[in-house]
Structure formats: structure tokens, C-alpha cells
Amino acid sequence: MRQGIEYCPVTAGVEAVGDRWTLLVLRELLLGSHRFNDIHRGLPGISRTLLSARLRRMTDIGLLTRTVDESGRPRYLLTPAGTALEPLVWQLGDWARRWFFGDPDTEQLDPGWLLWRLRQFAIHDALPTGRVVVEFVLTGGQTERAWLVLAPNDVSACRKHPGHDTDIWVTADQRELHRIVAGTSTLVTATRQGLLRLDGEPRLVAAFPTWFAWRTPGS
């Protein structure tokens, strides 16, 4: 790999991961996306052609490996070198939250992206043993609905009704729910401010916050 014009490890690191997309692709793999379509879904704004090129480069420099499953479908896995970048990815986000991050712009409000992130945040070992359907009623403009279907071995994000009865309703200001997912607000804060409400069976409502790996401690 090219080391840059100066003999400096920071320069070499920037050469490896300093473009717009490499750390974001790493973020998707760290959040559990290993197939091309899943990685692409988590990266609004990148073309499929550019993503293919970026995955090839990351494989060539040793951050990823490309394998195939039993059905012949490709999967991308982090190498030890790629996994070692995890602290850098999250610390960069923590830095941005403190110094370089504000409220979401209107064009950044995306229910599909929001539910996909929540799907990635799900802690499978913490989910109930049976299927739980969570219906999101997103307010703050035109009301939109979306669903998460949670099961220990599968979590699905749906923009159309999944065909099962709802167990929990999450009524939330869409902008505030984006803040929660980004780690600049919490469920507790949003509930206290009247920007989020959980309804449904009390046992499930009480457990709901424990089912997700929120980026902000204490949420």
C-alpha cells in the first residue's frame, strides 16, 4: 500500500481510511451488515458502483475479506485490522456529537433509514422469546408509520404493515427519534419532554429500552 509523501503513521492511516466512505462502510459492518444490499441500504448517497469499488479496495488493503455462504451469496467480514478500527469509528462519532453536530435538517429525516438503524441496534440476546411487533407513529409534519418485527433470530424493518398485530406503539416526533438514534437525546429525555410515548402491554413497554444498543449511555 502507498504510504504517502512523508514517513508518518498518521499519513499512512489517512491513506487507508481517510476518504469519505471507508469508515462509513466499516460502521455498517460493525453494526452487523455483511451483505452488499444491507451495506448499501445503510449508506444513503453512495452509488452501487462506488460501493463495489470501495469494498474491493478495502479488501485489497486488508480491512475486509469477501466470502460466500452456502447459497453462493457474497458476504463481507472484517479482518483483525478492520476490527481494530472500531474504537476510531465510535470515537469519531462521539467527537462529532460534542463539537460538530446539530439537529437533523428536514432533508435528513428519513423513516426508512431510522428503522434500519433501530434494526441494527437490536440486541438479539435481549429480545423476548416470542415475536413482538413495534409500530412507530412518526409525527412532526405528515404522520408516517413504520414497523419493527422483533424475534430472537430475526429483526425486520417494514414500511408496510407486516400483517401481524401490534404489541407496542411508539408515538414520537420524528426529529426527536432521529436524535435518539444518533445519540444526542435519550428515550428518558424525549418522554419527559412529551416528544415520545410508549403504549402497549406494560411488561413489554418496560422492557423496550433494554432491547437496543443505544449510542448514548443511560438512555
Side-chain angles (χ1 to χ4, degrees), residues 89-208:
V89 173
W90 303 134
Q91 287 169 13
L92 181 61
D94 293 341
W95 172 83
R97 271 189 290 272
R98 182 175 181 183
W99 300 106
F100 199 67
F101 198 60
D103 284 339
D105 295 330
T106 299
E107 59 268 22
Q108 292 176 312
L109 301 179
D110 183 342
W113 175 89
L114 191 66
L115 267 290
W116 185 252
R117 278 285 174 265
L118 285 172
R119 173 190 176 275
Q120 292 176 314
F121 284 5
I123 305 170
H124 289 252
D125 291 342
L127 298 178
T129 55
R131 181 182 63 220
V132 175
V133 177
V134 183
E135 181 172 345
F136 291 82
V137 183
L138 304 175
T139 64
Q142 182 178 354
T143 299
E144 300 190 56
R145 294 178 184 268
W147 292 262
L148 280 181
V149 181
L150 304 170
N153 296 319
D154 184 48
V155 178
S156 300
C158 309
R159 293 301 306 276
K160 296 182 179 179
H161 196 288
H164 306 294
D165 292 339
T166 297
D167 299 295
I168 299 176
W169 287 264
V170 180
T171 304
D173 175 82
Q174 184 176 169
R175 196 177 297 271
E176 180 67 5
L177 194 54
H178 275 75
R179 296 187 193 103
I180 292 169
V181 170
T184 60
S185 186
T186 68
L187 289 175
V188 171
T189 298
T191 300
R192 287 175 178 170
Q193 294 178 350
L195 296 173
L196 183 144
R197 188 179 76 248
L198 295 174
D199 297 292
E201 182 182 340
R203 175 181 61 87
L204 295 176
V205 168
F208 176 83

Side-chain angles (χ1 to χ4, degrees), residues 1-2 10-19 22-23 54 57-58 61 63 85:
M1 176 181 169
R2 187 165 63 93
V10 175
T11 300
V14 171
E15 288 281 349
V17 301
D19 64 276
T22 296
L23 290 179
R54 185 59 64 237
R57 178 180 181 274
M58 293 172 68
I61 67 174
L63 300 179
L85 286 166

Side-chain angles (χ1 to χ4, degrees), residues 29-79:
L29 273 85
L30 291 167
L31 287 172
S33 293
H34 299 290
R35 300 193 184 281
F36 183 93
N37 286 340
D38 290 343
I39 297 169
H40 186 256
R41 186 171 181 179
L43 294 171
I46 191 171
S47 69
R48 297 177 70 85
T49 300
L50 180 55
L51 177 57
S52 294
R54 185 59 64 237
L55 289 169
R56 284 195 301 271
R57 178 180 181 274
M58 293 172 68
T59 300
D60 289 343
I61 67 174
L63 300 179
L64 307 179
T65 59
R66 184 182 184 275
T67 64
V68 294
D69 62 19
E70 60 279 1
S71 63
R73 299 170 61 194
R75 297 179 76 241
Y76 296 91
L77 303 174
L78 291 169
T79 65

